[in-house]
Amino acid sequence: MMPSSAETSAPADTDRLREALIHQLRDLDALRSAEVERAFRTVPRHLFIPEATVEDAYQAERAEVTVRDPGGRALSSVSAARIQAFMLEQADVHPGMRVLEIGSGGYNAALIAELVGERGKVVSVDIDSAVVERARNLLDLAGYDLVETRTADGDAGVTELAPFDRIIVTVEAAELAPAWVDQLAKDGRIVVPLRFRGLTRSVAFRRDGELMASRDYEVCGFVSMRGEGAVPQQLVVLRDGPDEAERVGLRGEEGVLLDGPGLRTAFNSPRVEAWSGLTIGPGESYGDLELWLATVLDDHALLAATREARDRGLVASWSAMGVSTLLDGSSFAYLAIRPTTTERTAFEFGAIGHGPRAHQAAEQLAEAIAEWGRDHCGETAEFAAYPAGAEVASGPTTRVLDRPRSRLSISWPGGPS
Ligand SMILES: C[S@@+](CC[C@H](N)C(=O)[O-])C[C@H]1O[C@@H](n2cnc3c(N)ncnc32)[C@H](O)[C@@H]1O
């Protein structure tokens, strides 16, 4: 067998690659503190991704998928370093803390072990025994034998080791599991990739009286939670055709009645456009615009398309992660951009509509975009998680979402508090 490049690389190469990664993570504003930087400098990331070349192991944006289901869908991965860095910054882990990681890979647990030090405790739980076995072996090889690993459904937390100062969930969840809230220390924090209305944000929740609240969130993407806490989402394929690679689909909340046949017919009808007047520079973040749209639109989903479908112009979408979409029965309109200068130094947001009500849908979406630009750009939204059955006021700038065991709200300033 050929030796992997992890075995053949000289330590100086991996040190250099690790420093380059740290620079990149700083530039991306994912690494912000000296403590998290020290952890990234100390833990040899390539030892935790033997499946990849050493160079690939140190790519900031690259996740390594380690388990797929028979259909090819990712079930487990070592997350991209950029996401791990900002989630650890959100978690604000200190020496001596007790931390529960839900979803194992090895590397992130080793970073947390560096942050909590010898007086602290790290336990990492995964529902998949093969993932735990892989993580255990790699943690031992890299010298992190004090990290505890367990095979279990993380939805239940780990009662016998609670309370935890930090719970870091590294799998996409539709709600805060009640066990996480129960097992959290008084001043604790839960960082979780929360999925709602087709979008995902890593949200750092803290206790606020009876509820959990947050104004700290970042755009992210993760594999979906399995087990007790799995909440299905609805997927409507708008186009699959003979070539699997050219797929276009909508993903949204389970429970919203999506008219699949109607939406597919709409997708095959001509496009209409509406533009908002709101512009953005290249590389600027528009994550809050999508969060705003997911809050104020009555029916919101995400339109996602493969690279091939985007390259062939089947959708006027530029985003690999998908774009905010307004649903209106069997019509829909999705977020689009167009360059406003020939040098492509600025872009205008707008909407592409399809279906019998394409014009109305596109105009409504363009108006919601313009409203954000006029009145809410630069504001921070607030996430709140309440126990099931709690009274939560909704309003024009507050969306309340019902989950199986809780209620979730997203509010912008100006809404009811
Ligand atoms: C993105 S990976 C974890 C990445 C890892 N923390 C790292 O070091 O990069 C997500 C993991 O969550 C696991 N998972 C899914 N549902 C789970 C559940 N209910 N409880 C615990 N783990 C779960 C999957 O098996 C998968 O291994």
Side-chain angles (χ1 to χ4, degrees):
M1 207 170 83
M2 290 279 289
S4 76
S5 58
E7 285 162 359
T8 53
S9 287
D13 288 344
T14 55
D15 288 354
R16 184 179 47 78
L17 287 167
R18 201 140 65 236
E19 284 308 314
L21 174 66
I22 287 167
H23 273 283
Q24 216 183 335
L25 294 175
R26 283 258 176 217
D27 287 347
L28 291 166
D29 197 32
L31 251 188
R32 296 158 204 164
S33 68
E35 292 75 15
V36 178
E37 178 172 325
R38 192 190 64 76
F40 268 83
R41 183 163 290 120
T42 310
V43 183
R45 182 172 167 91
H46 61 287
L47 293 187
F48 288 91
I49 320 181
E51 300 85 353
T53 65
V54 171
E55 288 72 19
D56 281 350
Y58 285 100
Q59 299 289 326
E61 300 279 8
R62 192 174 191 280
E64 182 71 26
V65 176
T66 51
V67 184
R68 290 186 189 274
D69 72 7
R73 192 171 55 109
L75 292 179
S76 186
S77 62
V78 178
S79 304
R82 185 179 68 81
I83 291 181
Q84 291 172 321
F86 71 64
M87 286 183 79
L88 290 177
E89 296 289 5
Q90 288 184 294
D92 190 28
V93 179
H94 293 279
M97 282 186 167
R98 301 173 65 78
V99 181
L100 170 62
E101 181 193 42
I102 294 175
S104 309
Y107 179 62
N108 198 48
L111 292 171
I112 302 168
E114 289 293 337
L115 292 168
V116 300
E118 282 179 4
R119 289 183 297 113
K121 170 88 189 160
V122 184
V123 52
S124 181
V125 175
D126 202 288
I127 200 164
D128 185 334
S129 60
V131 171
V132 175
E133 196 181 325
R134 177 189 173 283
R136 179 73 270 155
N137 287 338
L138 296 173
L139 284 162
D140 288 344
L141 273 173
Y144 291 94
D145 37 332
L146 289 181
V147 171
E148 190 168 332
T149 50
R150 292 190 176 202
T151 302
D153 187 338
D155 186 71
V158 181
T159 317
E160 60 278 23
L161 295 177
F164 298 102
D165 301 296
R166 300 291 184 260
I167 298 179
I168 303 178
V169 185
T170 64
V171 58
E172 197 173 86
E175 64 178 334
L176 294 184
W180 304 342
V181 180
D182 291 347
Q183 293 174 23
L184 191 68
K186 191 166 150 283
D187 296 320
R189 211 178 269 203
I190 302 175
V191 180
V192 56
L194 199 63
R195 191 188 75 217
F196 50 93
R197 313 198 99 201
L199 302 184
T200 311
R201 297 290 182 270
S202 169
V203 186
F205 283 99
R206 303 164 194 234
R207 283 188 203 283
D208 181 0
E210 289 302 292
L211 54 103
M212 301 291 298
S214 175
R215 289 177 178 276
D216 179 352
Y217 51 84
E218 304 261 1
V219 175
C220 68
F222 269 90
V223 300
S224 297
M225 185 135 179
R226 293 181 269 166
E228 275 299 303
V231 175
Q233 54 185 334
Q234 213 177 153
L235 296 171
V236 171
V237 176
L238 296 178
R239 179 195 159 100
D240 49 7
D243 188 353
E244 270 274 305
E246 289 173 5
R247 279 199 142 203
V248 181
L250 285 166
R251 86 170 193 174
E253 296 276 337
E254 180 78 359
V256 176
L257 275 182
L258 288 187
D259 171 11
L263 291 166
R264 270 191 289 280
T265 305
F267 185 63
N268 289 316
S269 69
R271 292 174 187 171
V272 303
E273 301 178 8
W275 296 95
S276 69
L278 178 67
T279 56
I280 187 173
E284 277 179 42
S285 165
Y286 58 92
D288 275 1
L289 167 60
E290 296 209 297
L291 186 55
W292 163 257
L293 295 174
T295 310
V296 298
L297 298 179
D298 282 337
D299 280 318
H300 178 281
L302 195 82
L303 178 125
T306 56
R307 171 183 280 277
E308 288 81 355
R310 287 181 276 128
D311 287 351
R312 274 204 50 210
L314 297 175
V315 284
S317 161
W318 72 98
S319 166
M321 290 182 78
V323 285
S324 272
T325 301
L326 175 155
L327 300 171
D328 180 358
S330 53
S331 303
F332 65 95
Y334 61 89
L335 185 65
I337 53 169
R338 65 177 177 188
T340 54
T341 58
T342 43
E343 303 79 30
R344 302 178 75 83
T345 48
F347 298 86
E348 181 182 7
F349 286 111
I352 305 285
H354 286 274
R357 290 176 52 79
H359 280 285
Q360 291 93 326
E363 290 294 341
Q364 192 191 335
L365 180 54
E367 174 45 33
I369 297 166
E371 186 184 350
W372 180 74
R374 240 183 357 251
D375 304 332
H376 296 280
C377 177
E379 289 179 354
T380 303
E382 178 165 50
F383 286 82
Y386 302 79
E391 285 273 330
V392 187
S394 60
T397 58
T398 298
R399 174 71 47 185
V400 181
L401 300 169
D402 280 311
R403 293 296 190 243
R405 299 165 297 178
S406 61
R407 306 193 82 196
L408 194 65
S409 77
I410 308 162
S411 336
W412 292 78
S417 54

